[in-house]
C-alpha cells in the first residue's frame, strides 16, 4: 500500500477558491455560494462538526476575497481548517439574522451558483433578504468545477483504487456458498477499512437473481452454488473515492453465463480504449452500448456507462448519451457497463479511469476475467 500523502495546504485551497470564482465569472454568474458538504471540504478543507440548521456559507466571487459565514459557536473549528488562512471568517450569533450578515457580501441583483446540498431554508432566507438574486445548482451551472484533478488528487485516487483492488483480491479467498449476501458485504467493508478507507459508501453483493438489480442492497439471501455474484464496493481513502465492480461465479459457470460475462468484459475494454482527450463523454457510453447491443443484450444494459469520482464517489462528469462535455486530462470516472437478466443474474465490470494526455489510465488493475469462487 502507498504511504499517506502530504496534506493539502492553504495555498492549495486558495487556488481552488480562485479557480471557482473565475469559473463562475466565465459562466456569467455573480459568484458561488457553498454550504457544508463535499464542495466546502474541497474548497476550504472545512467540514462543520455535524449537520446543523445554522447557516454556514462560503461566498466566492471574482474580484473579492473569499468569506466564510459561520455561527459564532463553530468559528473556532472553522479557524482550524487548512484553508482558513486563505479566507475571511464572518460569524453571526444565535438570535441574530444570519442573512443580514450574508446579504452585504452578495450582488443584490446577481445570479449565483449554489452547492447542490444547500438547505432550502437558507436559500429561501437569502431570496427573502435579496429578492433580486437568482440561483442555479452547481451541477447545472459549474458541472466541471471539481472534474479535472491535479497531481495530488490523482495520487489519492490511485491509492483508493489500489486499496479497492487489494480488497477484491482478499474477498476471492472467502467462502461464498452457504453464506448470506450481508455477510460477504460485511467482509468487503472490513477489508476496505483494513486497507485504509476511512469511509465505506457501499458494498453491493447481488447473488443469482439479485444481481439483475444494479443497485441491489446486500440482503439475507443465502448464496448458492451456481450463482453469479455481482460485487460493487467503494468509499473514501485520504478523502478521495474508490469504486470498482467485478462479477464472480460460485462453482463452474454455464456457457451462457460465460458468454454474457465475456460480452460485458469486451464492452468495458472497448470503452476504456476509447478514452482520450477531446472525445465527448457520451462517446464512451456509445462504444460500450454498441458492443452490448450488437451481442443482443442492448435492452438489458439499463444504466449509464460511468460517473465521475473525487471527494465523492459519484459526481460529474457522467458517461451518458447527451453529455457532450469533452474529456480533459485529469478527469476521473468509472467505466462500468453491465447486462441484467431479470430473475436470473447480472454482470457488471467497473474500473476507475483517468484521462491522460494521449488516452486513458486505469486506477483498478485486478483481473477482469470471471473468477470462480467456492
Amino acid at each position: 500500500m502507498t504511504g499517506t500523502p502530504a496534506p493539502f495546504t492553504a495555498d492549495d485551497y486558495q487556488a481552488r477558491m480562485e479557480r471557482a470564482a473565475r469559473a463562475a465569472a466565465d459562466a456569467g454568474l455573480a459568484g458561488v455560494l457553498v454550504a457544508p458538504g463535499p464542495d466546502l471540504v474541497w474548497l476550504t478543507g472545512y467540514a462543520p462538526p455535524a449537520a446543523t440548521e445554522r447557516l454556514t456559507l462560503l461566498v466566492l466571487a471574482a474580484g473579492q476575497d473569499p468569506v466564510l459565514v459561520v455561527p459564532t459557536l463553530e468559528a473556532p473549528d472553522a479557524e482550524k481548517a487548512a484553508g482558513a488562512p486563505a479566507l475571511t471568517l464572518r460569524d453571526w450569533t444565535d438570535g441574530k439574522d444570519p442573512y443580514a450578515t450574508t446579504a452585504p457580501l452578495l450582488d443584490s441583483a446577481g445570479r449565483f451558483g449554489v452547492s447542490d446540498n444547500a438547505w432550502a431554508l437558507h436559500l429561501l432566507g437569502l431570496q427573502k433578504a435579496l429578492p433580486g438574486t437568482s440561483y442555479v445548482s452547481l451541477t447545472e451551472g459549474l458541472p466541471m468545477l471539481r472534474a479535472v484533478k491535479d497531481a495530488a488528487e490523482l495520487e489519492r485516487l490511485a491509492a483508493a483504487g489500489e486499496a479497492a483492488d487489494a480488497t477484491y483480491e482478499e474477498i476471492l479467498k472467502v467462502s461464498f456458498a452457504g453464506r448470506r449476501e450481508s455477510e460477504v458485504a460485511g467482509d468487503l467493508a472490513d477489508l476496505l477499512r483494513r486497507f485504509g478507507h476511512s469511509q465505506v459508501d457501499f458494498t453491493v453483493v447481488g447473488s443469482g437473481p439479485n444481481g439483475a438489480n444494479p443497485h441491489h442492497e446486500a440482503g439475507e439471501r443465502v448464496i448458492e452454488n451456481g450463482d453469479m455474484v455481482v460485487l460493487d464496493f467503494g468509499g473514501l481513502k485520504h478523502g478521495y473515492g474508490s469504486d470498482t465492480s467485478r462479477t464472480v461465479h460460485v462453482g463452474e459457470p454455464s456457457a451462457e453465463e460465460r458468454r454474457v460475462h465475456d460480452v460485458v468484459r469486451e464492452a468495458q475494454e472497448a470503452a476504456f480504449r476509447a478514452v482520450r482527450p477531446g472525445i465527448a463523454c457520451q462517446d464512451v457510453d456509445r462504444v460500450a452500448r454498441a458492443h452490448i447491443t450488437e451481442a443482443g443484450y442492448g435492452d438489458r444494459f439499463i444504466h449509464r456507462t460511468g460517473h465521475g469520482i473525487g471527494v465523492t464517489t459519484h459526481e460529474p462528469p457522467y458517461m451518458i448519451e447527451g453529455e457532450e462535455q469533452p474529456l480533459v486530462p485529469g478527469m476521473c470516472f468509472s467505466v462500468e457497463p453491465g447486462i441484467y437478466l431479470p430473475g436470473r443474474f447480472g454482470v457488471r465490470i467497473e474500473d476507475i479511469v483517468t484521462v491522460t494526455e494521449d488516452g486513458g489510465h486505469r486506477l483498478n488493475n485486478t483481473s477482469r476475467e470471471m473468477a470462480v469462487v467456492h
Side-chain angles (χ1 to χ4, degrees):
M1 295 276 99
T2 54
T4 301
F8 293 119
T9 67
D11 288 343
D12 294 324
Y13 291 113
Q14 181 176 359
R16 291 177 186 178
M17 288 188 279
E18 290 174 351
R19 189 168 101 194
R22 286 196 305 270
D26 292 344
L29 298 172
V32 176
L33 307 179
V34 184
D39 290 314
L40 187 63
V41 172
W42 183 76
L43 287 163
T44 70
Y46 177 54
T52 175
E53 74 283 1
R54 294 181 174 91
L55 177 71
T56 295
L57 197 69
L58 175 68
V59 180
L60 301 176
Q64 69 183 54
D65 292 337
V67 178
L68 181 62
V69 178
V70 295
T72 301
L73 78 168
E74 292 173 9
D77 290 317
E79 290 171 350
K80 297 174 185 175
L87 51 79
T88 299
L89 287 180
R90 189 161 298 181
D91 65 317
W92 62 276
T93 57
D94 282 356
K96 303 293 185 180
D97 181 358
Y99 311 111
T101 300
T102 309
L105 306 172
L106 276 57
D107 178 345
S108 61
R111 181 169 176 80
F112 294 87
V114 182
S115 54
D116 296 0
N117 53 345
W119 283 35
L121 170 72
H122 299 319
L123 193 56
L124 292 169
L126 286 173
Q127 286 181 314
K128 184 177 180 180
L130 296 168
T133 55
S134 59
Y135 305 89
V136 61
S137 74
L138 283 185
T139 290
E140 181 182 347
L142 295 175
M144 296 299 114
L145 180 61
R146 303 194 325 246
V148 178
K149 276 64 179 179
D150 62 25
E153 291 180 293
L154 291 173
E155 179 186 3
R156 287 162 169 78
L157 284 161
E162 183 183 1
D165 283 358
T167 294
Y168 177 67
E169 296 288 0
E170 288 298 312
I171 204 69
L172 294 180
K173 302 174 184 177
V174 311
S175 296
F176 280 72
R179 301 178 69 212
R180 300 183 188 280
E181 292 173 340
S182 58
E183 293 178 275
V184 177
D187 290 341
L188 285 169
D190 290 344
L191 287 166
L192 285 169
R193 293 189 183 96
R194 184 204 298 179
F195 292 118
H197 278 62
S198 60
Q199 177 177 311
V200 175
D201 286 349
F202 47 88
T203 51
V204 172
V205 180
S207 64
N210 288 341
N213 175 1
H215 281 173
H216 170 68
E217 294 274 346
E220 296 309 298
R221 183 182 185 274
V222 175
I223 302 170
E224 302 173 357
N225 192 57
D227 279 347
M228 193 86 88
V229 185
V230 177
L231 305 173
D232 183 351
F233 50 94
L236 299 183
K237 178 175 181 176
H238 305 317
Y240 280 74
S242 69
D243 186 1
T244 189
S245 301
R246 295 291 185 264
T247 303
V248 303
H249 198 276
V250 186
E252 287 301 317
S254 68
E256 181 191 19
E257 288 169 329
R258 283 196 179 278
R259 177 174 183 269
V260 171
H261 191 278
D262 283 346
V263 170
V264 174
R265 180 176 52 78
E266 291 160 2
Q268 205 263 357
E269 178 68 20
F272 164 69
R273 291 188 177 279
V275 172
R276 63 184 182 277
I279 73 162
C281 291
Q282 66 181 2
D283 292 335
V284 179
D285 182 82
R286 287 174 175 177
V287 168
R289 207 164 297 278
H291 187 84
I292 289 174
T293 298
E294 184 178 349
Y297 296 99
D299 61 339
R300 303 272 45 99
F301 180 11
I302 56 176
H303 55 73
R304 64 197 176 203
T305 293
H307 57 81
I309 191 168
V311 293
T312 57
T313 46
H314 283 207
E315 62 185 47
Y318 298 103
M319 307 301 114
I320 185 64
E321 182 66 31
E323 180 51 79
E324 297 179 352
Q325 167 68 40
L327 298 187
V328 176
M331 282 183 175
C332 292
F333 50 84
S334 65
V335 177
E336 52 176 308
I339 293 174
Y340 307 93
L341 305 179
R344 302 182 62 207
F345 64 88
V347 175
R348 183 166 63 258
I349 300 172
E350 173 186 15
D351 296 320
I352 298 302
V353 173
T354 183
V355 184
T356 64
E357 294 296 331
D358 57 0
H361 172 70
R362 281 184 166 111
L363 300 186
N364 296 108
N365 296 291
T366 56
S367 172
R368 284 162 285 277
E369 300 290 337
M370 189 195 303
V372 174
V373 296
H374 63 276

